[in-house]
Amino acid sequence: DAGVTQSPTHLIKTRGQQVTLRCSPKSGHDTVSWYQQALGQGPQFIFQYYEEEERQRGNFPDRFSGHQFPNYSSELNVNALLLGDSALYLCASSPVARGGYTFGSGTRLTVV
Amino acid sequence: KQEVTQIPAALSVPEGENLVLNCSFTDSAIYNLQWFRQDPGKGLTSLLLIQSSQREQTSGRLNASLDKSSGRSTLYIAASQPGDSATYLCAPSGGSYIPTFGRGTSLIVHP
């Protein structure tokens, strides 16, 4: 049973560009959440998707947007990249609101 | 806003020691609390999930306790091994069911 899969593993982008990260949830999970983890910090919540809608959002600017597809997979889009957006981006899925979260291996984004 | 603090921030111990990692959170109105481990540059691996109605959970050499009223959780690691070296993160989930993370405890177990 595959867990949460994220792609790509690593990505290098130039300041001002746009990036799309992808996530496939664990089988049986319908809720997808995205986190940003800067070096030496704990993961920070970006937003959560359920039934193809953004259900919760953390303290991140509108440059960060997302989408959830009918098969529950999700994308994270970041526009107008800044150097400070360099981080590990983690996707997590959960079966229902009270279920435990399963995380993917992350996408390491470097903005130069 | 939920704030999570983990003490100690870093720990270096010889193999075989029994360890105690502490987690405190400011909002006690949580539905569950999850402990994760993270290897350098990798994703998070779930270790234990404790529902708010539970006092503890055990998995192998790991035992986690939860005292919701005082806003504390403790992860016990018995007979530590070098393979236990990682960062350990606790994450309580409140009314929105969104886990909030602290900075974690960085553990090194040396042979």
Side-chain angles (χ1 to χ4, degrees), chain B residues 8-105:
Chain B
L11 195 56
S12 180
V13 299
E15 182 176 6
E17 283 204 359
N18 298 324
L19 307 176
V20 177
L21 279 57
N22 297 294
C23 168
S24 62
F25 44 94
T26 55
D27 186 352
S28 61
I30 65 169
Y31 285 100
N32 61 44
L33 184 144
Q34 208 165 352
W35 280 92
F36 295 90
R37 91 171 252 166
Q38 185 175 32
D39 294 294
K42 305 296 184 182
L44 277 61
T45 299
S46 179
L47 298 173
L48 292 163
L49 170 67
I50 311 175
Q51 299 294 346
S52 60
S53 58
Q54 298 175 317
R55 287 297 188 101
E56 64 178 85
Q57 280 283 354
T58 298
S59 176
R61 295 183 294 108
L62 304 179
N63 173 274
S65 66
L66 173 63
D67 184 345
K68 200 174 79 161
S69 61
S70 66
R72 294 176 187 272
S73 179
T74 302
L75 179 67
Y76 300 91
I77 303 176
S80 58
Q81 303 171 358
D84 295 331
S85 299
T87 296
Y88 290 80
L89 296 149
C90 77
S93 293
S96 62
Y97 304 109
I98 306 295
T100 300
F101 289 87
R103 292 190 175 189
T105 293

Coordinates of all heavy atoms in Angstrom, one line a residue, chain B residues 8-105:
Chain B
P8 N 14.1 18.6 25.7 CA 15.1 19.6 25.3 C 15.1 19.8 23.8 O 14.5 19.0 23.1 CB 16.4 18.9 25.8 CG 16.1 17.5 25.6 CD 14.7 17.3 26.0
A9 N 15.8 20.9 23.4 CA 15.9 21.1 21.9 C 16.8 20.1 21.3 O 16.6 19.7 20.1 CB 16.4 22.5 21.7
A10 N 17.8 19.7 22.0 CA 18.8 18.7 21.5 C 19.2 17.8 22.7 O 19.3 18.2 23.8 CB 20.0 19.4 20.9
L11 N 19.6 16.6 22.3 CA 20.0 15.6 23.3 C 21.0 14.6 22.6 O 20.8 14.2 21.5 CB 18.7 14.8 23.6 CG 18.7 13.9 24.9 CD1 19.1 14.6 26.1 CD2 17.3 13.3 25.0
S12 N 22.1 14.4 23.3 CA 23.1 13.4 22.8 C 23.4 12.5 24.0 O 23.8 12.9 25.1 CB 24.4 14.2 22.5 OG 25.4 13.3 22.0
V13 N 23.1 11.2 23.7 CA 23.2 10.2 24.8 C 24.0 8.9 24.2 O 24.0 8.7 23.0 CB 21.8 9.8 25.3 CG1 21.1 10.9 25.8 CG2 21.0 9.1 24.2
P14 N 24.5 8.2 25.2 CA 25.1 6.9 24.7 C 24.0 5.8 24.5 O 23.0 5.9 25.1 CB 26.0 6.5 25.9 CG 25.4 7.2 27.1 CD 24.8 8.5 26.6
E15 N 24.3 4.9 23.7 CA 23.4 3.8 23.4 C 23.0 3.1 24.7 O 23.8 2.9 25.6 CB 24.1 2.8 22.5 CG 23.3 1.6 22.0 CD 24.0 0.8 21.0 OE1 25.2 1.0 20.8 OE2 23.4 -0.2 20.5
G16 N 21.7 2.7 24.7 CA 21.2 2.0 25.9 C 20.4 2.8 26.9 O 19.7 2.2 27.7
E17 N 20.5 4.1 26.8 CA 19.8 4.9 27.8 C 18.3 5.0 27.6 O 17.9 4.9 26.4 CB 20.4 6.3 27.9 CG 21.7 6.4 28.6 CD 22.0 7.8 29.1 OE1 21.1 8.7 28.9 OE2 23.0 8.0 29.7
N18 N 17.6 5.1 28.6 CA 16.1 5.4 28.5 C 15.9 6.9 28.5 O 16.5 7.6 29.3 CB 15.4 4.8 29.7 CG 15.5 3.3 29.8 OD1 15.6 2.6 28.8 ND2 15.6 2.7 31.0
L19 N 15.1 7.3 27.5 CA 15.0 8.8 27.2 C 13.6 9.3 27.5 O 12.6 8.5 27.4 CB 15.4 9.0 25.8 CG 16.7 8.5 25.3 CD1 16.9 8.8 23.8 CD2 17.9 9.1 26.1
V20 N 13.5 10.6 27.8 CA 12.3 11.3 28.0 C 12.3 12.5 27.2 O 13.2 13.4 27.4 CB 12.1 11.6 29.5 CG1 10.8 12.4 29.7 CG2 12.0 10.3 30.4
L21 N 11.4 12.7 26.3 CA 11.2 13.9 25.5 C 9.9 14.5 25.8 O 8.8 13.9 25.9 CB 11.2 13.5 24.0 CG 12.5 13.3 23.3 CD1 13.3 12.2 23.9 CD2 12.3 13.0 21.8
N22 N 10.0 15.8 26.1 CA 8.8 16.5 26.6 C 8.2 17.5 25.6 O 8.9 18.1 24.8 CB 9.2 17.4 27.8 CG 9.6 16.5 29.0 OD1 8.8 15.7 29.5 ND2 10.9 16.6 29.3
C23 N 6.9 17.6 25.6 CA 6.1 18.4 24.7 C 5.1 19.2 25.5 O 4.3 18.5 26.3 CB 5.5 17.6 23.6 SG 4.2 18.4 22.6
S24 N 5.0 20.5 25.4 CA 3.9 21.2 26.0 C 3.2 22.1 25.0 O 3.8 22.5 24.0 CB 4.5 22.1 27.2 OG 5.4 23.0 26.6
F25 N 1.9 22.3 25.2 CA 1.1 23.0 24.3 C 0.2 24.0 25.1 O -0.2 23.6 26.2 CB 0.3 22.1 23.3 CG -0.4 20.9 24.0 CD1 -1.7 21.0 24.4 CD2 0.3 19.8 24.2 CE1 -2.3 19.9 25.0 CE2 -0.3 18.7 24.8 CZ -1.6 18.7 25.2
T26 N -0.1 25.1 24.5 CA -0.8 26.2 25.2 C -2.4 26.0 25.3 O -3.0 26.4 26.2 CB -0.5 27.5 24.7 OG1 -0.8 27.5 23.3 CG2 1.0 27.9 24.9
D27 N -2.9 25.4 24.3 CA -4.4 25.2 24.2 C -4.7 23.8 24.5 O -4.4 22.9 23.6 CB -4.9 25.6 22.8 CG -6.4 25.6 22.7 OD1 -7.1 25.1 23.7 OD2 -7.0 26.1 21.7
S28 N -5.3 23.5 25.6 CA -5.6 22.1 26.0 C -6.8 21.5 25.3 O -7.1 20.3 25.5 CB -5.8 22.0 27.5 OG -6.9 22.8 27.9
A29 N -7.5 22.3 24.5 CA -8.7 21.8 23.8 C -8.3 21.1 22.6 O -8.6 21.6 21.5 CB -9.7 22.9 23.5
I30 N -7.7 19.9 22.7 CA -7.2 19.2 21.5 C -8.0 17.9 21.4 O -8.6 17.4 22.3 CB -5.7 18.8 21.7 CG1 -5.5 17.9 22.8 CG2 -4.9 20.1 21.8 CD1 -4.1 17.3 22.8
Y31 N -8.0 17.4 20.1 CA -8.7 16.2 19.8 C -7.8 15.0 19.8 O -8.2 13.8 20.1 CB -9.5 16.3 18.5 CG -10.7 17.1 18.7 CD1 -10.7 18.5 18.3 CD2 -11.9 16.6 19.2 CE1 -11.8 19.3 18.4 CE2 -13.0 17.4 19.4 CZ -13.0 18.7 19.0 OH -14.1 19.5 19.1
N32 N -6.6 15.2 19.4 CA -5.6 14.2 19.4 C -4.2 14.8 19.4 O -4.0 16.0 19.2 CB -5.7 13.2 18.3 CG -5.6 13.8 16.9 OD1 -4.7 14.6 16.7 ND2 -6.5 13.4 16.0
L33 N -3.2 14.0 19.6 CA -1.8 14.4 19.5 C -1.0 13.3 18.9 O -1.1 12.1 19.2 CB -1.2 14.7 20.9 CG 0.2 15.3 21.0 CD1 0.3 16.3 22.1 CD2 1.2 14.2 21.2
Q34 N -0.1 13.7 18.0 CA 0.6 12.7 17.2 C 2.1 13.0 17.4 O 2.6 14.2 17.4 CB 0.3 12.8 15.7 CG 0.5 11.6 14.9 CD -0.3 11.6 13.6 OE1 -1.0 12.6 13.2 NE2 0.0 10.6 12.7
W35 N 2.9 12.0 17.6 CA 4.4 12.1 17.6 C 4.9 11.6 16.3 O 4.5 10.5 15.8 CB 4.9 11.2 18.8 CG 4.8 11.9 20.1 CD1 3.8 11.8 21.0 CD2 5.8 12.8 20.7 NE1 4.1 12.5 22.1 CE2 5.3 13.2 22.0 CE3 7.1 13.3 20.3 CZ2 6.0 14.0 22.8 CZ3 7.7 14.1 21.1 CH2 7.2 14.5 22.4
F36 N 5.9 12.3 15.8 CA 6.6 12.0 14.5 C 8.1 11.9 14.7 O 8.6 12.6 15.6 CB 6.3 13.0 13.4 CG 4.9 13.1 13.0 CD1 4.0 14.0 13.7 CD2 4.4 12.4 12.0 CE1 2.7 14.2 13.3 CE2 3.0 12.6 11.6 CZ 2.2 13.4 12.3
R37 N 8.8 11.2 13.8 CA 10.2 11.3 13.8 C 10.5 11.8 12.4 O 9.8 11.5 11.4 CB 10.9 10.0 14.1 CG 11.2 9.1 13.0 CD 12.1 7.9 13.4 NE 13.4 8.0 12.8 CZ 14.4 7.3 13.2 NH1 14.3 6.4 14.2 NH2 15.6 7.4 12.7
Q38 N 11.6 12.6 12.3 CA 12.1 13.1 11.0 C 13.6 12.9 10.9 O 14.3 13.4 11.7 CB 11.7 14.6 10.8 CG 12.1 15.1 9.4 CD 11.6 16.5 9.3 OE1 11.5 17.3 10.2 NE2 11.2 16.9 8.0
D39 N 14.0 12.2 9.9 CA 15.4 12.0 9.6 C 15.8 13.2 8.7 O 15.0 13.9 8.0 CB 15.7 10.7 8.8 CG 15.4 9.5 9.7 OD1 16.1 9.4 10.7 OD2 14.4 8.8 9.5
P40 N 17.1 13.6 8.8 CA 17.6 14.8 8.1 C 17.2 14.9 6.6 O 17.4 14.0 5.9 CB 19.1 14.8 8.3 CG 19.3 14.0 9.5 CD 18.2 12.9 9.5
G41 N 16.5 16.0 6.3 CA 16.1 16.2 4.9 C 15.0 15.4 4.4 O 14.6 15.4 3.2
K42 N 14.3 14.6 5.3 CA 13.3 13.7 4.9 C 11.9 14.1 5.4 O 11.8 15.1 6.1 CB 13.6 12.3 5.4 CG 15.0 11.7 5.0 CD 15.1 11.5 3.5 CE 16.4 10.9 3.2 NZ 16.6 10.7 1.7
G43 N 10.9 13.3 5.0 CA 9.6 13.6 5.5 C 9.4 13.1 6.9 O 10.3 12.7 7.6
L44 N 8.1 13.2 7.4 CA 7.8 12.8 8.8 C 7.2 11.4 8.8 O 6.4 11.1 8.0 CB 6.8 13.8 9.4 CG 7.3 15.1 9.9 CD1 8.0 16.0 8.9 CD2 6.1 15.9 10.6
T45 N 7.7 10.6 9.8 CA 7.1 9.3 10.0 C 6.3 9.3 11.3 O 6.9 9.7 12.3 CB 8.3 8.3 10.1 OG1 9.0 8.3 8.8 CG2 7.7 6.9 10.3
S46 N 5.1 8.9 11.2 CA 4.2 8.8 12.4 C 4.7 7.7 13.3 O 4.9 6.6 12.9 CB 2.8 8.6 12.0 OG 2.0 8.5 13.1
L47 N 4.8 8.0 14.6 CA 5.2 7.1 15.6 C 4.0 6.6 16.4 O 3.8 5.4 16.6 CB 6.3 7.7 16.5 CG 7.6 8.1 15.9 CD1 8.5 8.8 16.9 CD2 8.3 6.9 15.3
L48 N 3.3 7.6 16.9 CA 2.1 7.3 17.8 C 1.1 8.3 17.7 O 1.4 9.5 17.5 CB 2.6 7.2 19.3 CG 3.5 6.1 19.7 CD1 4.2 6.4 21.0 CD2 2.7 4.8 19.8
L49 N -0.2 7.9 17.7 CA -1.3 8.8 17.7 C -2.1 8.6 19.0 O -2.5 7.5 19.3 CB -2.2 8.6 16.5 CG -3.6 9.3 16.5 CD1 -3.4 10.8 16.4 CD2 -4.4 8.8 15.3
I50 N -2.3 9.6 19.8 CA -3.1 9.5 21.0 C -4.4 10.3 20.9 O -4.3 11.6 20.7 CB -2.3 10.0 22.3 CG1 -0.9 9.4 22.3 CG2 -3.0 9.7 23.6 CD1 0.0 10.0 23.4
Q51 N -5.5 9.7 21.0 CA -6.8 10.5 21.0 C -6.9 11.2 22.4 O -6.4 10.7 23.4 CB -7.9 9.5 20.7 CG -7.9 8.8 19.4 CD -8.0 9.7 18.2 OE1 -8.4 10.9 18.3 NE2 -7.7 9.2 17.0
S52 N -7.7 12.2 22.4 CA -7.9 13.0 23.6 C -8.4 12.2 24.8 O -8.2 12.6 25.9 CB -8.8 14.2 23.3 OG -10.1 13.8 22.9
S53 N -9.2 11.2 24.5 CA -9.8 10.4 25.5 C -8.8 9.3 26.1 O -9.1 8.7 27.1 CB -11.0 9.6 25.0 OG -10.6 8.8 23.9
Q54 N -7.6 9.2 25.5 CA -6.6 8.3 25.9 C -5.6 8.9 26.8 O -5.3 10.1 26.7 CB -6.0 7.6 24.7 CG -6.9 6.8 23.8 CD -6.3 6.3 22.6 OE1 -5.5 7.0 21.9 NE2 -6.6 5.0 22.3
R55 N -4.9 8.1 27.6 CA -3.8 8.6 28.5 C -2.4 8.3 27.9 O -1.5 9.0 28.2 CB -3.9 8.1 29.9 CG -5.1 8.6 30.7 CD -4.9 10.1 30.9 NE -5.8 10.7 31.8 CZ -5.6 11.0 33.1 NH1 -4.4 10.7 33.6 NH2 -6.5 11.5 33.8
E56 N -2.4 7.1 27.2 CA -1.1 6.8 26.6 C -1.3 5.8 25.5 O -2.3 5.2 25.3 CB -0.2 6.2 27.7 CG -0.7 4.9 28.3 CD 0.4 4.4 29.3 OE1 0.3 4.8 30.5 OE2 1.2 3.5 29.0
Q57 N -0.2 5.7 24.7 CA -0.1 4.7 23.6 C 1.3 4.1 23.6 O 2.3 4.8 23.9 CB -0.4 5.4 22.3 CG -1.8 5.6 21.9 CD -2.5 4.4 21.5 OE1 -1.9 3.3 21.3 NE2 -3.8 4.5 21.3
T58 N 1.4 2.9 23.2 CA 2.7 2.2 23.2 C 2.9 1.5 21.9 O 2.0 1.0 21.3 CB 2.8 1.1 24.3 OG1 2.6 1.8 25.6 CG2 4.1 0.4 24.3
S59 N 4.2 1.6 21.4 CA 4.5 0.9 20.2 C 6.0 0.4 20.4 O 6.9 1.3 20.3 CB 4.4 1.7 18.9 OG 4.9 1.1 17.8
G60 N 6.2 -0.8 20.6 CA 7.6 -1.3 20.8 C 8.2 -0.7 21.9 O 7.8 -0.7 23.1
R61 N 9.4 -0.1 21.7 CA 10.2 0.6 22.7 C 9.7 2.0 23.0 O 10.3 2.7 23.8 CB 11.6 0.7 22.3 CG 12.3 -0.7 22.2 CD 13.8 -0.6 21.9 NE 14.0 -0.1 20.5 CZ 14.5 1.2 20.3 NH1 14.8 2.0 21.3 NH2 14.7 1.5 19.0
L62 N 8.6 2.5 22.3 CA 8.1 3.8 22.5 C 6.8 3.8 23.3 O 6.0 3.0 23.1 CB 7.8 4.4 21.1 CG 9.0 4.5 20.1 CD1 8.5 5.1 18.8 CD2 10.2 5.2 20.7
N63 N 6.7 4.8 24.2 CA 5.5 5.0 24.9 C 5.3 6.5 25.0 O 6.2 7.3 25.4 CB 5.6 4.4 26.3 CG 4.4 4.7 27.2 OD1 4.4 5.8 27.8 ND2 3.5 3.8 27.2
A64 N 4.0 6.9 24.7 CA 3.7 8.3 24.7 C 2.5 8.5 25.7 O 1.6 7.7 25.7 CB 3.3 8.9 23.4
S65 N 2.7 9.5 26.6 CA 1.6 9.8 27.5 C 1.0 11.2 27.2 O 1.7 12.0 26.6 CB 2.1 9.8 28.9 OG 3.0 10.8 29.1
L66 N -0.2 11.4 27.6 CA -0.9 12.6 27.3 C -1.7 13.1 28.6 O -2.5 12.3 29.1 CB -1.9 12.5 26.1 CG -2.8 13.7 25.8 CD1 -2.0 14.9 25.4 CD2 -3.8 13.4 24.8
D67 N -1.4 14.3 29.0 CA -2.1 14.9 30.1 C -2.7 16.2 29.5 O -2.1 17.3 29.5 CB -1.2 15.3 31.2 CG -2.0 15.9 32.4 OD1 -3.1 16.3 32.3 OD2 -1.4 15.9 33.5
K68 N -3.9 16.1 28.9 CA -4.6 17.1 28.2 C -4.8 18.4 29.1 O -4.6 19.5 28.6 CB -5.9 16.7 27.6 CG -6.4 17.5 26.5 CD -7.6 16.9 25.8 CE -8.8 17.2 26.6 NZ -10.1 17.0 25.9
S69 N -5.2 18.1 30.3 CA -5.6 19.3 31.2 C -4.4 20.2 31.5 O -4.6 21.4 31.6 CB -6.2 18.7 32.5 OG -5.3 17.9 33.2
S70 N -3.2 19.6 31.5 CA -2.0 20.4 31.8 C -1.3 20.8 30.6 O -0.2 21.4 30.6 CB -1.1 19.6 32.8 OG -0.5 18.5 32.2
G71 N -1.8 20.3 29.4 CA -1.1 20.7 28.1 C 0.3 20.0 28.0 O 1.2 20.7 27.5
R72 N 0.4 18.8 28.3 CA 1.7 18.1 28.2 C 1.6 16.7 27.6 O 0.6 16.0 27.9 CB 2.3 18.0 29.6 CG 2.7 19.3 30.3 CD 3.2 19.0 31.7 NE 3.4 20.3 32.4 CZ 4.5 21.0 32.4 NH1 5.6 20.5 31.6 NH2 4.7 22.1 33.0
S73 N 2.6 16.4 26.9 CA 2.8 15.0 26.4 C 4.2 14.6 26.6 O 5.1 15.5 26.5 CB 2.3 14.9 25.0 OG 2.5 13.5 24.5
T74 N 4.5 13.3 26.8 CA 5.8 12.9 27.0 C 6.1 11.6 26.2 O 5.2 10.7 26.1 CB 6.1 12.5 28.5 OG1 5.9 13.7 29.3 CG2 7.6 12.1 28.7
L75 N 7.2 11.6 25.5 CA 7.6 10.4 24.7 C 8.7 9.7 25.4 O 9.8 10.4 25.6 CB 8.0 10.8 23.3 CG 8.4 9.6 22.4 CD1 7.3 8.7 22.1 CD2 9.0 10.2 21.1
Y76 N 8.5 8.5 25.8 CA 9.6 7.7 26.4 C 10.2 6.7 25.4 O 9.4 6.0 24.6 CB 9.0 6.9 27.5 CG 8.4 7.7 28.6 CD1 7.0 8.0 28.6 CD2 9.1 8.1 29.7 CE1 6.4 8.7 29.6 CE2 8.5 8.9 30.7 CZ 7.2 9.2 30.7 OH 6.6 9.9 31.7
I77 N 11.5 6.7 25.3 CA 12.2 5.8 24.4 C 13.0 4.9 25.3 O 13.9 5.4 26.0 CB 13.1 6.5 23.4 CG1 12.3 7.5 22.5 CG2 13.8 5.5 22.5 CD1 13.1 8.3 21.6
A78 N 12.7 3.6 25.3 CA 13.5 2.6 26.1 C 14.7 2.1 25.3 O 14.6 1.9 24.1 CB 12.6 1.5 26.5
A79 N 15.8 1.9 26.1 CA 17.0 1.2 25.5 C 17.3 1.8 24.2 O 17.3 1.1 23.1 CB 16.7 -0.3 25.4
S80 N 17.7 3.1 24.2 CA 17.9 3.8 22.9 C 19.0 3.1 22.1 O 20.0 2.5 22.6 CB 18.3 5.2 23.2 OG 19.4 5.3 24.0
Q81 N 18.9 3.3 20.7 CA 19.8 2.7 19.8 C 20.3 3.8 18.8 O 19.6 4.8 18.6 CB 19.1 1.6 19.0 CG 18.6 0.5 19.9 CD 17.7 -0.5 19.1 OE1 17.5 -0.3 17.9 NE2 17.2 -1.5 19.7
P82 N 21.4 3.6 18.2 CA 21.9 4.6 17.2 C 20.9 4.9 16.1 O 20.8 6.0 15.6 CB 23.2 4.0 16.6 CG 23.7 3.2 17.8 CD 22.5 2.6 18.4
G83 N 20.1 3.9 15.7 CA 19.1 4.1 14.7 C 17.9 5.0 15.2 O 17.1 5.4 14.3
D84 N 17.9 5.3 16.4 CA 16.8 6.2 17.0 C 17.2 7.7 16.7 O 16.4 8.6 16.9 CB 16.6 6.0 18.5 CG 16.1 4.6 18.8 OD1 15.3 4.1 18.0 OD2 16.3 4.1 19.9
S85 N 18.4 7.9 16.2 CA 18.9 9.3 16.0 C 18.0 9.9 14.9 O 17.9 9.4 13.8 CB 20.4 9.3 15.6 OG 21.2 8.7 16.6
A86 N 17.4 11.0 15.3 CA 16.5 11.8 14.4 C 16.0 13.0 15.2 O 16.3 13.2 16.3 CB 15.3 10.9 14.0
T87 N 15.1 13.7 14.5 CA 14.4 14.8 15.2 C 13.0 14.3 15.5 O 12.3 13.7 14.6 CB 14.3 16.1 14.4 OG1 15.6 16.6 14.2 CG2 13.5 17.1 15.0
Y88 N 12.5 14.5 16.7 CA 11.2 14.0 17.2 C 10.3 15.2 17.3 O 10.6 16.2 18.0 CB 11.3 13.2 18.5 CG 12.0 11.9 18.2 CD1 13.4 11.8 18.1 CD2 11.3 10.7 18.0 CE1 14.0 10.6 17.9 CE2 11.9 9.5 17.8 CZ 13.3 9.5 17.7 OH 13.9 8.3 17.4
L89 N 9.1 15.2 16.7 CA 8.2 16.3 16.7 C 6.8 15.8 17.3 O 6.4 14.7 17.0 CB 7.9 16.7 15.3 CG 9.2 17.3 14.6 CD1 9.1 17.1 13.1 CD2 9.2 18.8 14.8
C90 N 6.3 16.7 18.1 CA 4.9 16.4 18.6 C 4.0 17.4 17.9 O 4.4 18.5 17.6 CB 4.8 16.4 20.1 SG 4.7 18.1 20.8
A91 N 2.7 17.0 17.7 CA 1.8 17.8 17.0 C 0.4 17.6 17.5 O -0.3 16.6 17.1 CB 1.8 17.5 15.5
P92 N -0.1 18.5 18.4 CA -1.5 18.4 18.8 C -2.4 18.9 17.8 O -2.1 19.9 17.0 CB -1.5 19.3 20.1 CG -0.4 20.2 19.9 CD 0.7 19.5 19.1
S93 N -3.6 18.4 17.7 CA -4.7 18.9 16.8 C -5.8 19.4 17.6 O -6.4 18.6 18.4 CB -5.1 17.8 15.8 OG -4.1 17.4 14.9
G94 N -6.2 20.6 17.3 CA -7.4 21.2 18.0 C -8.7 21.2 17.3 O -8.9 20.3 16.5
G95 N -9.5 22.2 17.4 CA -10.8 22.2 16.9 C -10.9 22.1 15.4 O -11.8 21.6 14.8
S96 N -9.8 22.6 14.7 CA -9.8 22.5 13.2 C -9.2 21.2 12.7 O -9.1 21.0 11.5 CB -9.0 23.7 12.7 OG -7.6 23.6 13.2
Y97 N -8.7 20.4 13.7 CA -8.1 19.1 13.3 C -6.8 19.3 12.5 O -6.4 18.4 11.9 CB -9.0 18.2 12.5 CG -10.4 18.0 13.3 CD1 -11.5 18.5 12.8 CD2 -10.4 17.2 14.4 CE1 -12.7 18.3 13.5 CE2 -11.6 17.0 15.1 CZ -12.7 17.5 14.6 OH -13.9 17.3 15.3
I98 N -6.2 20.5 12.6 CA -4.9 20.7 11.9 C -3.8 20.6 12.9 O -3.8 21.3 14.0 CB -4.9 22.1 11.3 CG1 -6.1 22.4 10.4 CG2 -3.6 22.4 10.6 CD1 -6.1 21.5 9.2
P99 N -2.8 19.7 12.7 CA -1.7 19.5 13.6 C -0.8 20.8 13.6 O -0.6 21.3 12.6 CB -0.9 18.3 13.1 CG -1.9 17.6 12.2 CD -2.8 18.7 11.7
T100 N -0.4 21.2 14.9 CA 0.5 22.3 15.0 C 1.8 21.7 15.6 O 1.8 20.9 16.5 CB -0.1 23.3 16.0 OG1 -1.3 23.8 15.5 CG2 0.9 24.5 16.2
F101 N 2.9 22.2 15.0 CA 4.2 21.6 15.3 C 5.1 22.6 16.1 O 5.0 23.8 15.9 CB 5.0 21.2 14.0 CG 4.4 20.0 13.3 CD1 3.4 20.2 12.4 CD2 4.9 18.7 13.6 CE1 2.8 19.1 11.7 CE2 4.4 17.6 12.9 CZ 3.3 17.8 12.0
G102 N 5.9 22.0 17.0 CA 7.0 22.7 17.5 C 8.2 22.5 16.7 O 8.2 22.0 15.6
R103 N 9.4 22.9 17.3 CA 10.7 22.8 16.5 C 11.3 21.4 16.7 O 12.2 21.1 16.0 CB 11.7 23.8 17.0 CG 11.3 25.3 16.7 CD 12.4 26.2 16.9 NE 12.1 27.5 16.5 CZ 13.0 28.5 16.5 NH1 14.3 28.3 16.8 NH2 12.7 29.7 16.1
G104 N 10.7 20.6 17.6 CA 11.2 19.3 17.8 C 12.4 19.2 18.7 O 13.0 20.1 19.2
T105 N 12.7 17.9 19.0 CA 13.9 17.6 19.8 C 14.9 16.8 18.9 O 14.5 15.7 18.4 CB 13.6 16.7 21.0 OG1 12.8 17.5 21.9 CG2 14.8 16.2 21.7

